[in-house]
Amino acid sequence: MNELTHNDEKRFSVLVVDDEPANIDILLGILKPFYNVKVAPSGHVALKVVQQFTPDLILLDIMMPGMDGFEVCKQLKTDRELARIPVIFVTALAQGEDEEKGFDVGAVDYITKPVSPSITLARVKTHLSLAHQMRTTEALVSERTKDLELSQQSAICMLAAAGHYNDTDTGHHIWRMSAYSKCLALSCGWSYEQATLLSQAAPMHDTGKIGIPDNILKAPRKLSDEEMEVMKTHSNIGYKILSQSTTPLFILAAEIALNHHEKWDGSGYPSGLRGKAIPESARIVAIADVFDALTMKRPYKNAWTADEAFDYIEKHAGSHFDPQLVNEFFAVKERILATQQYWFELEDEQIIPSMINFLPEFSK
């Protein structure tokens, strides 16, 4: 990356912190022709200044009354944003242990008093250039990351829609059950990041239905035994599609797609897994999926009330569902109902989500 030009330098600001007015005057004389310079006569004042004005670099005296430079630097580095500001110690200290301590608390360089104008300008320019390059790189990485996240979210929406493309009555089912899954995962102790990943993977649980014939998928009646066996293959089909990716999101989505019809007592499909042999992700999604399916109107049934659906979940704890997860589901009942209402209102207004951050704030 290019070094700073003279015109570039004028865009940058430097905070000089020193309790001696004479030292401040010297540094002002050196820096002011090139940089926007502000001053602070003590460590306490410096910490107040940076809350209102964020400099691009700090020249910091060490030996100051009240709060020395080491402590000032240490406090700066505890703040996520302020920690990014390069700090150069300006000091008469020349002992090796003092330099080591300075680097330990986060300084990037030392300038020894009495200061040399040429060395001061060179050090300041170098570290401003490095910091500028770092910020530019971070901004580029952030932009690329956002592009990748957008692409990933689009893929989620497309795969979720593909699984329900021929199922015109599901409405917002995949989004609602995803939000319920996130509520339940958070209640079970999942981190917010893990629960969010689950909510992104959950909408793809029925991706495999894309491989089920229309005459079975759209049948407005209870399926025959033979048809049901064909329908069951959607778990394996979804797994085969989603497991082609090795990213954490799609690994989790594949795990859910394969196992969300397994049952706690071992009577589910496709593998007849029992108890905790079923991945927790799939056990969570199973509860969320069934709860929402029960409360939906379908060609072959009317929508159940939320209370009826909760009763069903409770009745089948220990057989279909993990009993501990059922307890957690009831523990967040009010949150589930609030989330349900949120999505029902979106559906009434015919608002279709295009992205995956669809858990309302009250459910965080």
Side-chain angles (χ1 to χ4, degrees):
M1 295 189 182
N2 295 330
E3 291 187 357
L4 302 181
T5 66
H6 179 73
N7 289 332
D8 287 330
E9 291 172 358
K10 293 296 287 187
R11 294 188 290 112
F12 291 92
S13 58
V14 177
L15 175 63
V16 175
V17 186
D18 200 307
D19 64 308
E20 292 289 342
N23 292 333
I24 288 179
D25 289 342
I26 292 171
L27 288 169
L28 276 173
I30 295 171
L31 298 169
K32 204 165 185 180
F34 305 101
Y35 302 103
N36 174 20
V37 184
K38 294 190 180 296
V39 300
S42 70
H44 291 290
V45 173
L47 292 176
K48 291 180 179 179
V49 169
V50 295
Q51 296 300 327
Q52 304 298 324
F53 157 79
T54 305
D56 294 298
L57 182 141
I58 298 174
L59 290 177
L60 180 59
D61 185 28
I62 292 179
M63 301 299 291
M64 295 185 292
M67 179 184 292
D68 67 19
F70 294 133
E71 182 59 29
V72 174
C73 189
K74 192 182 300 183
Q75 291 199 29
L76 287 170
K77 299 307 176 181
T78 63
D79 183 292
R80 183 175 178 180
E81 290 303 316
L82 300 180
R84 299 157 62 92
I85 304 171
V87 174
I88 299 176
F89 280 130
V90 183
T91 180
L93 296 175
Q95 297 299 318
E97 59 267 23
D98 292 317
E99 289 192 9
E100 184 177 347
K101 182 176 180 180
F103 290 126
D104 285 344
V105 298
V108 296
D109 208 344
Y110 268 84
I111 297 174
T112 304
K113 296 177 181 178
V115 298
S116 160
S118 60
I119 290 176
T120 299
L121 287 173
R123 299 273 176 87
V124 168
K125 183 176 181 179
T126 294
H127 289 292
L128 279 172
S129 180
L130 290 172
H132 176 61
Q133 290 177 18
M134 180 67 72
R135 286 194 295 270
T136 301
T137 301
E138 288 176 350
L140 180 60
V141 170
S142 177
E143 184 179 346
R144 296 284 174 84
T145 299
K146 287 179 181 177
D147 289 342
L148 288 171
E149 288 176 349
L150 182 61
S151 297
Q152 180 169 274
Q153 289 171 344
S154 298
I156 294 167
C157 288
M158 288 186 286
L159 284 167
H164 292 85
Y165 184 75
N166 287 321
D167 196 351
T168 57
D169 297 303
T170 56
H172 286 57
H173 163 65
I174 52 177
W175 315 120
R176 285 194 303 267
M177 59 79 63
S178 170
Y180 302 153
S181 296
K182 186 171 185 177
C183 287
L184 182 51
L186 288 170
S187 181
C188 293
W190 287 42
S191 70
Y192 189 80
E193 291 72 20
Q194 289 173 320
T196 298
L197 192 70
L198 179 69
S199 74
Q200 294 172 335
M204 296 181 276
H205 68 287
D206 276 339
T207 296
K209 284 185 176 178
I210 197 170
I212 303 302
D214 285 0
N215 65 309
I216 294 177
L217 194 62
K218 292 184 174 182
R221 53 175 171 75
K222 185 176 180 179
L223 299 179
S224 68
D225 291 344
E226 292 78 9
E227 289 171 331
M228 192 61 206
E229 289 305 309
V230 175
M231 177 63 85
K232 287 180 179 180
T233 63
H234 82 274
S235 295
N236 282 306
I237 295 171
Y239 176 77
K240 289 177 181 177
I241 293 171
L242 297 168
S243 62
Q244 294 183 52
S245 170
T246 58
T247 65
L249 172 63
F250 288 101
I251 290 172
L252 183 61
E255 176 181 270
I256 293 167
L258 181 64
N259 297 295
H260 70 285
H261 283 293
E262 299 288 359
K263 295 183 179 181
W264 185 255
D265 64 4
S267 64
Y269 67 86
S271 302
L273 299 180
R274 180 187 298 271
K276 292 188 177 181
I278 306 167
E280 187 175 41
S281 61
R283 285 180 272 142
I284 288 173
V285 168
I287 294 174
D289 188 29
V290 170
F291 175 80
D292 194 68
L294 293 174
T295 57
M296 289 170 52
K297 182 178 180 179
R298 303 290 281 151
Y300 49 84
K301 77 172 186 67
N302 292 321
W304 290 24
T305 67
D307 284 339
E308 289 172 333
F310 270 104
D311 287 344
Y312 179 90
I313 298 294
E314 184 175 37
K315 180 180 178 182
H316 291 82
S319 56
H320 188 161
F321 309 114
D322 178 341
Q324 183 58 45
L325 291 184
V326 171
N327 290 338
E328 295 292 341
F329 192 64
F330 272 80
V332 291
K333 181 176 180 179
E334 293 306 314
R335 185 173 294 179
I336 295 293
L337 293 175
T339 303
Q340 182 187 60
Q341 183 60 35
Y342 172 85
W343 282 102
F344 281 168
E345 289 173 3
L346 287 185
E347 192 163 16
D348 288 342
E349 295 170 15
Q350 297 184 330
I351 297 174
I352 300 174
S354 59
M355 289 301 145
I356 304 302
N357 188 18
F358 33 65
L359 186 63
E361 290 300 312
F362 54 75
S363 293
K364 286 188 178 180

